[in-house]
């Protein structure tokens, strides 16, 4: 029986200070198949290589993200369609990664504006969005990587809306935030827009 090779394809996310929504990193492929087509960053898993290391390598080499700017990384789901790669049977393990501000050549595209990608990468992005929506506000590592150590309530609304695809009810979101271990509403308020009331600031407990 022909054996499948294993690829690691990464949904790399950015949500920087001036970003109004979460976006996903894509770049043109430099080799066959699908040379020149946009795709998620992906690499073949090396012998003895851990998944997180492969994911970080993919984001660094395919998106041009400096290693120091690659933050938290996690696993999402496996795609095992035998014909997903024209080169032969390839098992794809989808990962997520959050990247910090940097200068680089990658394109960053919101979930709702994703162009046609090579392989089955659009399917990977769609599946990842649903899984990431379940992680947001529940997985502390993932959530904190996107929000930072502190954030205004308006930022939480933008983050939730861009991942879930719908704007959250503010009262429900506040209850969700209040239930997160290690996260607390502070007494600080910060003006984030020229008009309107200053926003409440939420902050994670400092690491010991």
């Amino acid at each position: 029986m022909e054996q499948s090779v294993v690829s690691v394809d990464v949904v790399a996310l950015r949500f920087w200070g001036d970003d109004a929504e979460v976006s996903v990193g894509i770049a043109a492929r430099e080799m066959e198949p699908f040379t020149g087509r946009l795709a998620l960053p992906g690499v073949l898993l090396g012998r003895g290589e851990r998944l997180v290391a492969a994911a970080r390598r993919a984001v660094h080499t395919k998106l041009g993200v400096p290693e120091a700017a690659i933050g938290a990384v996690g696993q999402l789901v496996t795609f095992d369609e035998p014909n997903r790669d024209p080169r032969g049977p390839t098992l794809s393990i989808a990962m997520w990664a959050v990247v910090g501000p940097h200068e680089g050549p990658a394109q960053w595209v919101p979930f709702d504006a994703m162009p046609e990608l090579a392989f089955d990468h659009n399917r990977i992005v769609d599946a990842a969005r649903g899984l990431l929506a379940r992680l947001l506000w529940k997985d502390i590592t993932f959530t904190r990587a996107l929000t930072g150590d502190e954030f205004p309530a308006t930022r939480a609304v933008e983050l939730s809306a861009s991942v879930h695809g719908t704007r959250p009810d503010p009262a429900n979101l506040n209850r969700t935030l209040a239930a997160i271990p290690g996260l607390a509403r502070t007494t600080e308020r910060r003006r984030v827009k020229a008009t309107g009331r200053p926003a409440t600031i939420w902050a994670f407990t400092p690491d010991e």
Side-chain angles (χ1 to χ4, degrees), residues 9-10 57 78:
D9 297 304
V10 187
R57 177 165 62 90
T78 299

Side-chain angles (χ1 to χ4, degrees), residues 93-129:
I93 300 176
M95 306 283 287
W96 61 264
V98 177
V99 306
H102 65 278
E103 297 291 336
Q107 297 184 40
W108 296 92
V109 183
F111 282 107
D112 292 328
M114 192 61 55
E116 183 177 351
L117 304 177
F119 301 105
D120 56 351
H121 287 186
N122 287 94
R123 182 179 171 223
I124 290 176
V125 171
D126 290 342
R129 186 179 192 178

Side-chain angles (χ1 to χ4, degrees), residues 2 8 27 41 47 49 79 82 105 107 115 117 130-132 152 182 186 189:
E2 184 180 4
V8 174
R47 184 179 181 87
E49 187 177 30
F79 292 83
Q107 297 184 40
L117 304 177
L131 295 169
L132 293 171
T186 72
R189 285 184 171 272

Side-chain angles (χ1 to χ4, degrees), residues 68-186:
I70 304 172
V73 178
Q75 186 174 344
L76 287 169
V77 67
T78 299
F79 292 83
D80 62 355
E81 166 56 50
N83 298 317
R84 60 174 303 278
D85 190 320
R87 293 168 293 189
T90 304
L91 194 70
S92 172
I93 300 176
M95 306 283 287
W96 61 264
V98 177
V99 306
H102 65 278
E103 297 291 336
Q107 297 184 40
W108 296 92
V109 183
F111 282 107
D112 292 328
M114 192 61 55
E116 183 177 351
L117 304 177
F119 301 105
D120 56 351
H121 287 186
N122 287 94
R123 182 179 171 223
I124 290 176
V125 171
D126 290 342
R129 186 179 192 178
L131 295 169
L132 293 171
R134 295 184 198 125
L135 291 179
L136 186 62
W137 314 127
K138 296 180 178 65
D139 184 295
I140 303 301
T141 299
F142 172 68
T143 300
R144 194 167 180 173
L146 286 169
T147 63
D149 293 337
E150 65 172 39
F151 55 91
T154 52
R155 195 77 172 141
V157 172
E158 293 172 342
L159 174 57
S160 188
S162 62
V163 174
H164 286 271
T166 56
R167 193 170 180 83
D169 176 77
N172 288 339
L173 180 58
N174 280 334
R175 284 191 288 270
T176 297
L177 296 178
I180 298 174
L183 180 66
R185 186 202 307 257
T186 72

